[in-house]
Amino acid sequence: MELTILRGAQALGSLSMRPLHSPALPRRALWLAAAALLLATTGCRRHQSRTTAHEPVQGGTLIYATDREPICLDPHVQGDMPQVFLAEQYLDSLVAMDRSGHILPWLATDWAVSDDGRTYTFHLRHDVTFTDGTPLTAEAVRANLDHMVDPHTQSSTAGGYIKQYAGTDIIDTYTAAVHLKTPYAAFLEVLAQGFLGIESPRALARPRDENCQNPVGSGPFRIVRWDHQSQIVLARNPAYHWGPPTALHTGPARLDGIEWRIIPEASVRFAALQAGEVDVIDSLPPEAETPAQRNPDLWLLMADRPGNPTNGTLNIKRAPFDDIRVREAFIRSADIDGALASVFFHHYRRAGSPLSPTTPFYSPAFEHHADYDPDRARALLDQAGWTGRTEEGIRTRDGRPLVVHIPLKASLSAAERTLWEQVQATARATGFDVRLENGDDTTILEREGQWDYDVRIGYWNTSTADVLRIVFSSAFLGAAGVGGHHQNEAGFSDPAFDRVVNDALLTTDPDKRRALYLQAQTIAAQNFLQITTYPQSTRLALSRAVHDVRLEPSLNVTSLYDSWVTR
Amino acid sequence: MTSLSLAPSMARLPSRRRLPRPGQLGPVAAILFLTLLAIAALAPHLLTHADPLAIAPRDAFQAPSAAHPFGTDQSGRDILARVVYGARQSLALGCGAITLSLSIATILALIGGLGGRIAEQAVRWLIDILFAFPVLVLALLCTATLGSGIGPLIVAIGVGSAAGYTRMVFGQVLSVRGAGYVEAARALGHSPARIVARHILPNAFRPLVVTATMGIGQTVVWSAALSFLGLGAPPPAAEWGTMLSMGRDFIAEAWWMSFFPGLAIVLTMLSTTVAGRALQRAIEGRGP
């Protein structure tokens, strides 16, 4: 019941939270659910603990443990989730986004959009300095946007988001006019993400790899040093008084500093939290979630991330998935709910739509468009001519067995790995021979670059429905980023779809955008391009000594700016 | 002739027959376990009726019970069945890799021992180079170039552990080739092939039988280590190392997932070691 009500709260586009223990007592569960719903809809200010009577404490160091180390600390380069989590602590963005998707001022106090939608004029705060002493000026905005689109930066995420960028004119010291080649209605939405955080132009002028080691921002903390494969040390920026409007307080951060530890092993990370060696862990694995809920010394902070949910994208450029019937049959052969009930311990909900529910313009109409239905799957395979059978019961057509190759990266979590093993077993029952092929991450990235897969496991976190254009439009069929993978991993190319997602960028009228994104979701769903599994989410477990940890709404990434610790 | 054949490595004294006593319970238990392992590898259906691959997500993480003596895993698969069916994989790997290792060792040792001064030096260098790499690093290198799966794994471990065996066989060949009975055979005009087959190989191999028996256990551990790292047979194959690796993530919730495959690995290693030592005593004729 608790879960159902929470789902309701999530559907409102709010923060999902399961803050306390969840014993089987229905009354207590109901109370908790009610509290969670209330908190979720009121912006979750007071969720953290029974110790709300405390006044925030100044000082102290917070130890944060995460699973993956960033490959570069500058989020412009490549652009993977570990980078944006760190960026949120030491970078500010031009604009912020609130829980309902509204764009709010941050480093830019206000902005104007030209009538043709191709020029954004930003007026900047006058009182911001980067931690290397460089003042924030229009020049800095230009240097940052230029840096993101510079091919040498190899920016898959930030650079991919602003492909339309044409250049920046300096109107005066604090006014920058950003020009786009084509109108881009999602521009402010992506600018709110930490991936497009504003760095010191003086630091950006250094060689890329040097900037990767110690990038400089204007955020509440600054990077002190990076001990590779161990930790990143951050210290408070005492001058900081330009926090985002989404924050809980103003002025400098309350913590003296942060130790950002890298602990890849999920069980070790959780054990370190239970032992009090670290204060906060992220990527709490599903198997640790119930023990964490039962532990009275811990609390949880969780939220689904917007974007394209965790999925297996079907490669439609080659057989067997070049046939839409085989794609639908495969998706309907996969019992995802079984996996969510077993290895995910009912903690994750199903994502059935091409957009995660927290994405602006998400439509719930597609949640069940391709549910598990082995009978329909068998009928579809018969129609598609896969009527023969091998001795082992694998379907064949013209003597060729129905084989599906799925490369599995070594970094895949145990739960995710199991999910695909269960897909393998259920799809086998309808006659698919699913080959799960283990490999190290580099090898598999190479395979992805060569379209050498039938299913590619991935996700795309972003604060805009424009993610549909990135993962399915023909403009993103080319190689991108350091690994050379394709952002459109399905190989889908449909002029009608391209037109819809491009048209959605031409207007800022929410109703028109909603209608166009509904069309885009419809086309994506009807083409059976992905097995969507569950929404990406930020899952933190925190010691009760830690207070006011917040998730910045643009991507639901951890922000430690307001946080304080009681020892 | 008779006195010549008394070279130490040729000594073959009959083992003294005794009644089993407490000190021999170990070997007996070891041989029993190895027999069980052999049954599991050759006829697994005799030990369990469950299908090691059948998933039942709603029965996931069940503790050991009458229905599932070893419990179920994260997909509701029966762990007893997976441990039993995993034996074939592990033993095939163990025996395959040892066979490959010994073949490489024999060929290199014969080339080095009988191929003249340059060949001897070359083999010495090769052994030194191979020894500079830890077995697992060499094995990782092999799987990186050959890919993952059981075939590459046999090659990886076989090549990786060849250096040790090569050094042993090489040492034996060197000591045997100068022995009086070999010289005598040469003087009698026997062909080199016959000398190798009749005199050198049997004597070079004898100490190896024991080491190889123990080596099977070591190989099972190494293959478990490599499959633990995700380089073993692809899913859903039941493999002890993979099961252990998967189980460690759930150890707080479902200890049985890693305990039973771990136990199988430990008992295999222990049994081959105990059996190997018993064999050693039997061959060398020394009392315990």
Side-chain angles (χ1 to χ4, degrees), chain A residues 90-168:
Chain A
Y90 79 91
L91 288 184
D92 295 324
S93 298
L94 280 179
V95 295
M97 185 192 255
D98 71 10
R99 290 242 158 257
S100 53
H102 294 122
I103 301 297
L104 306 172
W106 191 351
L107 291 183
T109 50
D110 59 285
W111 52 89
V113 187
S114 65
D115 290 339
D116 65 359
R118 290 172 49 195
T119 301
Y120 285 69
T121 307
F122 292 97
H123 301 281
L124 305 175
R125 288 182 71 123
H126 293 198
D127 54 353
V128 177
T129 50
F130 295 99
T131 49
D132 62 357
T134 316
L136 170 76
T137 58
E139 188 58 56
V141 174
R142 175 159 73 184
N144 272 272
L145 295 174
D146 286 357
H147 181 248
M148 291 171 212
V149 296
D150 181 351
H152 183 66
T153 308
Q154 291 191 305
S155 181
S156 167
T157 304
Y161 287 162
I162 57 165
K163 275 191 171 181
Q164 299 85 343
Y165 176 70
T168 302

Side-chain angles (χ1 to χ4, degrees), chain B residues 12-45:
Chain B
R12 191 200 303 191
L13 299 175
S15 56
R16 282 160 284 173
R17 306 246 173 242
R18 285 188 208 156
L19 290 172
R21 55 190 194 93
Q24 286 181 324
L25 279 180
V28 170
I31 286 162
L32 274 180
F33 181 78
L34 290 177
T35 314
L36 203 63
L37 213 56
I39 296 174
L42 299 173
H45 53 273

Side-chain angles (χ1 to χ4, degrees), chain A residues 415-432:
Chain A
E416 181 80 12
R417 195 169 280 280
T418 301
L419 181 144
W420 287 101
E421 280 186 35
Q422 297 191 5
V423 169
Q424 177 184 47
T426 49
R428 199 190 161 86
T430 43
F432 283 93

Side-chain angles (χ1 to χ4, degrees), chain B residues 18-245:
Chain B
R18 285 188 208 156
L19 290 172
R21 55 190 194 93
Q24 286 181 324
L25 279 180
V28 170
I31 286 162
L32 274 180
F33 181 78
L34 290 177
T35 314
L36 203 63
L37 213 56
I39 296 174
L42 299 173
H45 53 273
L46 294 181
L47 299 176
T48 172
H49 295 296
D51 178 350
L53 304 183
I55 67 161
R58 275 120 195 128
D59 294 333
F61 300 112
Q62 302 222 339
S65 64
H68 303 286
F70 288 3
T72 62
D73 72 1
Q74 78 281 10
S75 294
R77 294 177 295 208
D78 184 75
I79 290 181
L80 172 63
R82 289 181 71 73
V83 169
V84 166
Y85 279 82
R88 176 179 299 179
Q89 190 94 344
S90 301
L91 281 194
L93 256 169
C95 298
I98 282 289
T99 311
L100 181 67
S101 251
L102 291 184
S103 311
I104 295 174
T106 311
I107 293 166
L108 284 181
L110 289 180
I111 292 173
L114 309 172
R117 193 175 287 267
I118 293 174
E120 184 178 328
Q121 197 53 45
V123 169
R124 276 186 206 281
W125 280 336
L126 190 64
I127 294 175
D128 285 343
I129 291 169
L130 283 177
F131 254 117
F133 294 95
V135 176
L136 276 179
V137 173
L138 261 186
L140 281 174
L141 196 73
C142 284
T143 48
T145 46
L146 301 174
S148 56
I150 182 149
L153 218 52
I154 288 179
V155 175
I157 298 171
V159 172
S161 51
Y165 295 113
T166 309
R167 179 163 281 179
M168 277 182 73
V169 185
F170 188 43
Q172 288 295 320
V173 169
L174 289 186
S175 72
V176 171
R177 75 172 177 193
Y181 58 90
V182 172
E183 277 175 26
R186 264 198 210 109
L188 287 171
H190 290 177
S191 72
R194 185 169 169 192
I195 294 174
V196 167
R198 288 287 302 274
H199 299 285
I200 295 184
L201 274 187
N203 289 293
F205 259 147
R206 189 147 299 138
L208 219 59
V209 172
V210 173
T211 325
T213 311
M214 295 190 208
I216 291 178
Q218 182 62 58
T219 310
V220 168
V221 172
W222 277 329
S223 74
L226 288 173
S227 53
F228 185 88
L229 297 175
L231 299 166
E239 201 175 65
W240 295 344
T242 316
M243 293 170 72
L244 196 64
S245 159

Side-chain angles (χ1 to χ4, degrees), chain A residues 1 47 75 122 243 248 255 269 281 283 493 523:
Chain A
M1 178 170 11
H47 48 253
F122 292 97
L248 305 178
L255 296 167
R269 208 160 56 244
I281 61 169
S283 306
S493 177
I523 298 174

